DNA sequence: TTATATTGGGTAATCGATTGCATAAAAATA
DNA sequence: TATTTTTATGCAATCGATTACCCAATATAA
């Protein structure tokens, strides 16, 4: 096993010092054009590769960023991560992805673990409402930038990239109303998380604006799982006055709802319309395709990454807080297309 | 911003040397019980955290491992990664996930990039048959362990964890035969990748063993995408003698097949049976649930991680090559349940 | 009592790259 | 020609932790 070549090897070969070699490789302007070229060519020849660990130790930058998501096997998060990678890779960063599986201890554990790995920043989507803000203090103390995407929390000095959930929900609900639905239920998620609260608010506002009553018994909160969607929908259907539409803040619960409704012998969209949220691929691929709200995840990831880059490059001098809000898009499909 | 405490700070406070502190923290047996305790308590008090970058530089170990997958928004890969994490996290490792999106240049790019980040090992599922084995030479030269999972390639000295694809396909096909199907088509994928070749072989062997002819025009290779499944199935259905069953080596193409079949007004499973591969969650959640082959991805990930740990801990002394093969399980569901 | 072991811990080099400061040589200016 | 400025490079410390080697003090053996 031949040792890796270091700048010392290059220096020795060229009768220079490591310092000069280092500068030449970094295109330091204090180095003459000729030696710079010479060094760079020799480096190439000798198959030199920078030791990132040494660079990291000296500079205090690891060129790793942590990404914390509830799970990565949803198209939404996978796409956000893809967007982040697309933006960060060309800058020499690597991405360490951690899944929390919605467990609070994993959430705090992951953050500390990433911190311990000396990441240069953390991009995250909060999964658990119970996670204390205190967890982030470690981050702040170490001046490690934190950027929220999608599921954010309002913390002073922390930037975020989200979509306009209120508006997305508003449009979705309005669409249902325009289809003639009068009694629209809402399959909600943990509303101590902003996004779900906002979707709920948007839903409510749309009802109000169109003169429909807002029956709180038609709003039920649950986990974003297919089976949960089924369970709650069963409850809906057993009401004296069951809903004629369901607006779900998750595609997975929307899917469960559809299964349950069909099992009850009801027709979609004729008897009940269903709208989901996130535009997961399966909503498009189902035989009965599902209307959903697209969140442009790749762009969300890219922008989050850009905000991160701005913050690290600002070098702690400037404390900035950006709140970027993207506009969602309603994708109308069969599950809610009552009218021709 | 208070500086991080280092072992020097602790040393100074206790009137010791950094060496002693380091040893005490690492439970070196050359340190007396009393000072060891003293140091460890003081470290705790002073909020000491090891600088992983320094440790990495000195030891040459980054405690990062790279995981390269075609994509991570499939439940299969996400679950494998989860298994890997579960095994590696407790050992202090972090996981850097890279997606290749089936692009060759991304595949080689990712490997080099991970190498550059000085990962201690790479676990990967090959995505592109065109990727030259040459790419791995860099790995070998640096003695970075490489472990294949699922999609492997036969390379001397490289361990792998896979399932018995041949057997999985054999059982799936046998099941179709037992349901009375006589003309079974095979939606295949790139057979220059072992797993797909093996699935094809298992399919073929099952036909042979049960006295059915193997019509090569019923075997078509395509990408693992829903739309591709549709496209090929359309071809199948337009044949003079269309198949009465489709065994797909991917759940996604199986889904496409189902859509197309229904659109043609045919009934599943009465007219045509369909079986997929991977046991993606949606196969279970579809109204018409899809029979599929489970690959126990979490276990696959865990085992791959264990193999990696064995290899690094063996410290390059022993060169070992393990080939671990898990047994798949056929999950029979509606899409192929012709018989009561 | 003297010689030998053992225990506990210090010294200093090392991992590879970066960078503030110093300086010789070359160029520009007086 | 003498002096100042500029240019190109070297010197050495530094980032924080680890470890081979050395040595004093105590314990054990002869």
């Amino acid at each position: 096993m031949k040792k890796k070549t270091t700048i010392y090897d290059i220096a020795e070969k060229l009768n220079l010092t490591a310092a000069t070699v280092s500068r030449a490789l970094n295109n330091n302007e204090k180095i003459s054009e000729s030696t710079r070229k010479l060094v760079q060519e020799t480096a190439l020849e000798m198959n030199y590769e920078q030791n990132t660990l040494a660079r990291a130790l000296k500079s205090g930058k690891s060129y790793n960023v942590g990404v914390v998501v509830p799970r990565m096997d949803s198209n939404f998060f996978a796409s956000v991560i893809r967007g982040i990678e697309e933006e960060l890779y060309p800058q020499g960063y690597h991405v360490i992805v951690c899944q929390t599986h919605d467990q609070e201890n994993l959430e705090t554990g992951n953050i500390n673990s990433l911190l311990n790995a000396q990441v240069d920043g953390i991009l995250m989507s909060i999964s658990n409402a119970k996670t204390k803000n205190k967890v982030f203090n470690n981050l702040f103390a170490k001046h490690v930038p934190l950027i929220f995407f999608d599921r954010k929390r309002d913390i002073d000095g922390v930037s975020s990239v989200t979509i306009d959930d209120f508006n997305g929900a508003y449009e979705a609900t309005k669409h249902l109303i325009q289809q003639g639905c009068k009694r629209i239920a809402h399959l909600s998620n943990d509303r101590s998380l902003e996004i779900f609260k906002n979707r709920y608010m948007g839903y409510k506002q749309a009802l109000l604006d169109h003169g429909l009553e807002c029956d709180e018994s038609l709003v039920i909160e649950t986990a974003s799982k297919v089976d949960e969607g089924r369970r709650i929908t069963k409850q809906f259907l057993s009401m004296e006055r069951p809903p004629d539409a369901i607006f779900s803040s998750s595609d997975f619960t929307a899917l469960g709802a559809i299964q349950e409704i069909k099992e009850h012998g009801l027709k979609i969209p004729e008897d009940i319309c269903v709208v989901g949220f996130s535009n997961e691929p399966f909503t498009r691929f189902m035989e009965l395709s599902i209307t959903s709200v697209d969140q442009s995840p790749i762009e969300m990831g890219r922008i989050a990454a850009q905000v991160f880059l701005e913050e690290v490059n600002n070098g702690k001098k400037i404390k900035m807080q950006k709140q970027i809000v993207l506009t969602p898009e309603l994708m109308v499909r069969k599950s809610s297309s009552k009218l021709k």
Side-chain angles (χ1 to χ4, degrees), chain A:
Chain A
M1 165 171 182
K2 52 180 179 236
K3 298 273 287 168
K4 269 187 79 162
T5 58
T6 70
I7 52 172
Y8 294 94
D9 301 328
I10 301 178
E12 194 177 11
K13 180 159 188 179
L14 297 181
N15 249 324
L16 292 170
T17 24
T20 307
V21 173
S22 172
R23 292 197 181 95
L25 291 173
N26 290 305
N27 286 314
N28 185 305
E29 73 284 349
K30 292 259 137 198
I31 297 295
S32 74
E33 191 54 40
S34 57
T35 51
R36 173 181 335 201
K37 242 182 121 174
L38 182 63
V39 167
Q40 297 192 345
E41 278 166 6
T42 315
L44 217 61
E45 240 171 58
M46 298 178 72
N47 235 316
Y48 169 76
E49 284 174 350
Q50 194 189 41
N51 183 320
T52 54
L53 296 175
R55 165 169 43 53
L57 174 61
K58 188 66 174 88
S59 67
K61 282 195 61 172
S62 67
Y63 277 92
N64 281 145
V65 309
V67 176
V68 182
V69 291
R71 74 199 63 83
M72 57 195 229
D73 66 338
S74 87
N75 184 268
F76 174 71
F77 287 117
S79 300
V80 175
I81 292 169
R82 182 168 182 178
I84 293 173
E85 286 179 343
E86 282 175 2
E87 206 69 19
L88 255 34
Y89 255 72
Q91 307 294 321
Y93 284 91
H94 279 270
V95 170
I96 298 179
V97 181
C98 297
Q99 309 184 62
T100 68
H101 304 290
D102 285 322
Q103 288 162 37
E104 186 194 350
N105 59 334
L106 276 179
E107 188 145 51
T108 58
N110 278 329
I111 292 176
N112 287 324
S113 164
L114 286 171
L115 231 34
N116 190 252
Q118 278 154 285
V119 293
D120 297 340
I122 292 187
L123 312 189
M124 93 179 272
S125 207
I126 293 216
S127 51
N128 198 294
K130 270 178 278 175
T131 302
K132 309 274 192 310
N133 278 0
K134 205 172 63 184
V135 183
F136 304 119
N137 290 161
N138 280 330
L139 280 171
F140 304 147
K142 295 181 182 169
H143 294 274
V144 174
L146 170 67
I147 321 279
F148 287 127
F149 60 86
D150 193 47
R151 307 178 173 200
K152 70 170 188 131
R153 183 171 293 176
D154 267 321
I155 297 181
D156 225 46
V158 179
S159 298
S160 64
V161 183
T162 54
I163 61 153
D164 186 340
D165 289 285
F166 179 94
N167 201 254
Y170 188 96
E171 290 300 322
T173 310
K174 192 173 104 188
H175 160 71
L176 287 170
I177 296 172
Q178 287 169 344
Q179 296 293 310
C181 303
K182 301 246 178 287
R183 203 166 149 69
I184 304 172
H186 179 39
L187 253 170
S188 182
N189 287 69
D190 186 350
R191 266 172 290 165
S192 41
L193 290 174
E194 281 195 19
I195 55 166
F196 298 119
K197 189 178 77 186
N198 290 339
R199 290 176 197 177
Y200 165 68
M201 303 286 271
Y203 152 80
K204 215 163 148 179
Q205 190 63 46
L207 294 184
L208 272 171
D209 286 357
H210 293 82
L212 293 180
E213 71 158 332
C214 183
D215 182 348
E216 282 296 337
S217 70
L218 287 180
V219 176
I220 299 188
E221 209 171 287
T222 185
S224 173
K225 301 212 164 113
V226 178
D227 289 334
E228 283 298 292
R230 292 193 77 130
R231 192 173 64 79
I232 305 299
T233 304
K234 199 170 206 161
Q235 293 180 27
F236 282 146
L237 297 179
S238 66
M239 295 172 79
E240 317 139 54
R241 286 175 60 212
D244 58 4
I246 296 178
F247 164 55
S248 168
S249 54
S250 143
D251 279 334
F252 296 97
T253 42
L255 175 56
I258 288 178
Q259 293 175 354
E260 194 63 29
I261 292 168
K262 283 190 178 172
E263 208 152 279
H264 273 246
L266 294 171
K267 290 211 158 161
I268 301 173
E270 293 79 359
D271 301 323
I272 303 190
C273 289
V274 177
V275 172
F277 212 108
S278 282
N279 199 22
E280 287 286 325
F282 70 79
T283 58
R284 189 157 60 86
F285 288 130
M286 303 282 296
E287 189 192 4
L288 173 70
S289 59
I290 308 177
T291 299
S292 192
V293 179
D294 185 70
Q295 306 180 264
S296 44
I298 295 203
E299 205 186 340
M300 187 181 284
R302 297 192 81 116
I303 295 178
Q306 285 162 11
V307 173
F308 159 75
L309 287 173
E310 277 182 55
E311 295 204 6
V312 279
N313 294 334
N314 262 341
K316 298 158 192 175
K317 291 168 248 161
I318 307 159
K319 192 159 194 170
M320 58 178 226
Q321 177 179 358
K322 278 199 173 180
Q323 313 263 34
I324 293 172
V325 179
L326 308 177
T327 304
E329 187 185 357
L330 182 67
M331 316 298 282
V332 176
R333 304 205 176 91
K334 289 188 195 164
S335 69
S336 71
S337 300
K338 230 171 176 167
L339 309 177
K340 214 6 266 293

